[in-house]
Amino acid sequence: MAGQLVGFVGLGVMGRPMARNLLKAGFDLMVHDLNTAAVGEAVAAGARDGKSLEGVAEAGIVVTMLPDTPDVEAVLLGPGGLAEAMRRGSVLVDMSTISPIATRSFAEHLNARGVPMLDAPVSGGFQGAEAGTLSIMVGGEAEVLERCRPVLAAMGTTISHIGEAGAGQVCKACNQVAVAINIHAVAEAMTLAKKNGVDPARIRQALLGGFAQSKALDLHGQRVLDGNYKAGFRVQLQRKDLKIALEAGTASGTPLPVTALIQQLYGILDATGRGELDNSSLALLMQELAGITAEA
Amino acid sequence: MAGQLVGFVGLGVMGRPMARNLLKAGFDLMVHDLNTAAVGEAVAAGARDGKSLEGVAEAGIVVTMLPDTPDVEAVLLGPGGLAEAMRRGSVLVDMSTISPIATRSFAEHLNARGVPMLDAPVSGGFQGAEAGTLSIMVGGEAEVLERCRPVLAAMGTTISHIGEAGAGQVCKACNQVAVAINIHAVAEAMTLAKKNGVDPARIRQALLGGFAQSKALDLHGQRVLDGNYKAGFRVQLQRKDLKIALEAGTASGTPLPVTALIQQLYGILDATGRGELDNSSLALLMQELAGITAEA
């Protein structure tokens, strides 16, 4: 395990701490990113600079952690991409949150070249990435997951095998749908309380003890009480994730009316300059729409 | 405490087991309901038949547990109603789920006659009423709540003082908003999973471990897996409760777009003959709308 060569592409907000945890676990890490400062930081922490996708493709397991579907497509299937460069029998683990439909097509493409792929998106945010406590939702073959398990275990504590190729991304889409809708439940309930002159802290406390209990009420409800909408998980990213869920809905014939409405509300936040705030700022928006003066 | 005369009006699905728990706790219970069979049952269990609202009004504390705002209005303010019949210094405890706005007006009316009022709606459903484990959300004066606490403690385990008159009903409205939206989150997420060929049991399990966790995902998610939409808490009642929340929203200038949309979805269930099903049957509806054959 330790000393095994692992490739890593995408040293962004999430990728950086994930790469650090792979180094801590003793993997020989070969990194690549267009951001040379991020590469320099990883090298200072003990990684090697792969210099290109071809360089990273030497590894038996290559992890990608990229912003969106087109980024993954470019890195996998673009000129000089991993699909061309990786050896037969090595494994591609895409941990980005991207389209399940595109994921199935990427997996087919890589499989045809003898490179099995796992889709392994995460939840737990930057804090989970830092602490190595991410929850990882995996699609792909069980035996391939077993080969990659030590690598995933260096970054997360819960590794759930959901199903075949794309199932990890479907699970992540379902997760984001549920998280966003639960956050909006807090936003409407807390705004209704405030506008009716009732202490929202008491409402949160009472509701946490019953059927209305949710992680969102606990964590994001506290944010509403504190007027703290600093990200956390940004509006722009949640909006992108819901776009993926809605596309998966359209492609599969699944109407998602509330997800669609909430994605529009995130669009309002983004259009009015609040795209960098935490995704709990749906509560800020609902309060504004109710005429409560802004808190952020 | 024990032996104290308590009045009880409204021996419906919830009122019946609540009255039984008051008898078990040793209160001298004087009941009234237009349903003579329900009165007979309570008398057989040890209650006395008050025969009329005037009869029940003898008690120092009178509890009402009625279906909707107009029922409470008739019992309190109608001819021969409790407002006329109750003595100065006795207390009216309305445990129905009704309009917070009407509640404030009822409380003013009763106060003017020297009868303090608590609004004390409950959550926990029929099971909670049977077990005496209801969660009770109280609006009104703290000292009045203290006088009534032994009576409430015979019916519920969590008694939360939320604020002044009407605050209990505001809290209940917020609770129903959050519960209904959280249930709908489960409905959209599970339908998206099914239509994408992914095992919804694995999705539920994975999501319960992260930010998407909710009581609704736990309990109602299991209902979706079992195809069990037997009430529980009926669609018709949840629809009524959301109507109250929306009216409180309108009166206070609080837009509740998702609550409004979900109330319409409950309206579809009711209009298509599913008003008696459990309020988790939003999941049944979303699956139907996605072309998944009915399970109930």
Side-chain angles (χ1 to χ4, degrees):
Chain A
M1 244 39 91
Q4 185 189 350
L5 184 61
V6 171
F8 199 102
V9 180
L11 298 167
V13 173
M14 293 292 286
R16 244 173 287 189
M18 289 163 71
R20 264 200 306 276
N21 282 323
L22 287 168
L23 286 168
K24 268 190 219 161
F27 289 101
D28 179 11
L29 201 67
M30 184 82 89
V31 301
H32 180 61
D33 196 289
L34 299 178
N35 177 346
T36 52
V39 171
E41 193 190 292
V43 168
R48 289 195 275 155
D49 182 358
K51 298 221 164 77
S52 66
L53 293 173
E54 284 94 337
V56 167
E58 274 185 44
I61 296 176
V62 178
V63 175
T64 50
M65 188 62 184
L66 296 159
D68 205 347
T69 310
D71 307 293
V72 176
E73 182 166 18
V75 161
L76 295 186
L77 307 182
L82 291 173
E84 283 175 17
M86 283 174 75
R87 287 172 306 199
R88 295 185 74 82
S90 51
V91 181
L92 190 281
V93 183
D94 180 35
M95 301 186 76
S96 323
T97 293
I98 65 165
S99 160
I101 303 145
T103 292
R104 281 181 213 121
S105 132
F106 298 158
E108 275 175 33
H109 202 103
L110 287 166
N111 266 326
R113 302 187 64 98
V115 176
M117 173 172 164
L118 298 177
D119 48 302
V122 305
S123 98
F126 175 71
Q127 289 89 343
E130 285 257 294
T133 58
L134 291 168
S135 172
I136 308 177
M137 297 155 263
V138 185
E141 297 297 324
E143 61 191 14
V144 178
L145 167 55
E146 287 320 307
R147 277 169 63 195
C148 297
R149 192 177 285 274
V151 170
L152 297 175
M155 297 178 280
T157 38
T158 311
I159 301 168
S160 308
H161 187 216
I162 307 297
E164 295 175 3
Q169 296 294 355
V170 170
C171 188
K172 179 68 190 281
C174 293
N175 189 71
Q176 298 307 78
V177 161
V179 166
I181 298 180
N182 287 353
I183 286 176
H184 191 78
V186 177
E188 291 203 3
M190 300 287 261
T191 305
L192 184 61
K194 283 194 181 187
K195 287 289 285 188
N196 279 274
V198 176
D199 180 2
R202 293 200 194 176
I203 299 279
R204 172 177 167 278
Q205 202 54 49
L207 269 54
L208 279 175
F211 285 145
Q213 182 277 337
S214 71
K215 200 95 168 177
L217 180 60
D218 188 2
L219 302 178
H220 298 293
Q222 189 58 51
R223 277 177 171 275
V224 177
L225 298 182
D226 299 340
N228 169 24
Y229 301 107
K230 193 169 162 260
F233 185 66
R234 279 184 289 132
V235 162
Q236 284 163 347
L237 288 174
Q238 183 63 283
R239 191 182 177 209
K240 178 216 95 178
D241 287 1
L242 294 185
K243 180 169 161 281
I244 289 170
L246 291 169
E247 286 169 356
T250 302
S252 60
T254 317
L256 300 169
V258 170
T259 303
L261 173 49
I262 291 173
Q263 210 248 357
Q264 291 290 314
L265 296 176
Y266 279 122
I268 295 173
L269 284 166
D270 204 4
T272 53
R274 272 85 61 92
E276 302 288 331
L277 293 184
D278 187 69
N279 67 335
S280 60
S281 52
L282 284 174
L284 184 68
L285 178 62
M286 293 316 295
Q287 288 175 70
E288 279 179 17
L289 294 177
I292 298 176
T293 36
E295 295 169 289
Chain B
M1 243 40 89
Q4 186 188 348
L5 183 62
V6 171
F8 200 102
V9 180
L11 298 166
V13 174
M14 293 292 287
R16 243 173 289 189
M18 289 163 70
R20 265 200 306 275
N21 283 323
L22 286 168
L23 286 169
K24 268 192 219 159
F27 290 102
D28 179 12
L29 202 66
M30 184 82 88
V31 301
H32 180 60
D33 196 289
L34 298 179
N35 177 346
T36 51
V39 171
E41 193 190 291
V43 168
R48 289 195 278 155
D49 182 358
K51 299 221 162 78
S52 65
L53 293 173
E54 285 94 337
V56 167
E58 274 185 45
I61 296 176
V62 178
V63 174
T64 50
M65 188 63 184
L66 296 159
D68 205 347
T69 310
D71 307 294
V72 176
E73 183 167 18
V75 161
L76 295 187
L77 307 182
L82 292 173
E84 283 176 17
M86 284 174 74
R87 286 174 306 201
R88 295 185 75 83
S90 52
V91 182
L92 189 283
V93 183
D94 180 36
M95 302 187 74
S96 323
T97 293
I98 64 165
S99 158
I101 302 146
T103 292
R104 280 182 215 120
S105 132
F106 298 157
E108 274 174 35
H109 201 104
L110 287 166
N111 265 326
R113 302 186 66 97
V115 176
M117 173 173 165
L118 297 178
D119 48 301
V122 305
S123 99
F126 175 70
Q127 288 89 344
E130 286 257 295
T133 57
L134 292 168
S135 172
I136 308 176
M137 297 156 263
V138 184
E141 296 298 323
E143 61 192 13
V144 179
L145 167 56
E146 287 320 307
R147 276 169 64 194
C148 298
R149 191 176 286 274
V151 170
L152 296 175
M155 297 178 279
T157 39
T158 310
I159 300 168
S160 308
H161 187 215
I162 306 297
E164 295 175 2
Q169 297 294 355
V170 170
C171 188
K172 178 68 190 281
C174 293
N175 189 71
Q176 299 306 77
V177 162
V179 166
I181 298 180
N182 286 354
I183 287 176
H184 191 77
V186 177
E188 291 204 2
M190 301 286 262
T191 305
L192 184 61
K194 283 193 181 188
K195 287 288 286 188
N196 279 272
V198 175
D199 179 3
R202 293 199 194 177
I203 299 279
R204 172 177 166 278
Q205 201 54 49
L207 268 54
L208 278 175
F211 284 145
Q213 183 277 336
S214 71
K215 200 96 169 177
L217 179 61
D218 188 1
L219 302 179
H220 298 293
Q222 188 59 49
R223 277 176 171 277
V224 178
L225 298 182
D226 299 340
N228 169 23
Y229 300 108
K230 193 170 163 260
F233 186 66
R234 280 183 289 132
V235 162
Q236 283 163 346
L237 288 174
Q238 183 64 283
R239 190 181 177 209
K240 178 215 93 177
D241 287 1
L242 294 184
K243 179 169 161 283
I244 289 169
L246 291 169
E247 285 169 357
T250 301
S252 60
T254 317
L256 300 169
V258 170
T259 302
L261 173 48
I262 291 174
Q263 211 248 358
Q264 291 290 315
L265 296 176
Y266 279 122
I268 295 173
L269 283 167
D270 205 4
T272 53
R274 271 86 60 93
E276 301 289 331
L277 293 184
D278 187 69
N279 67 334
S280 60
S281 53
L282 284 174
L284 184 68
L285 178 62
M286 294 315 295
Q287 289 175 71
E288 278 180 18
L289 294 177
I292 297 175
T293 37
E295 294 169 289

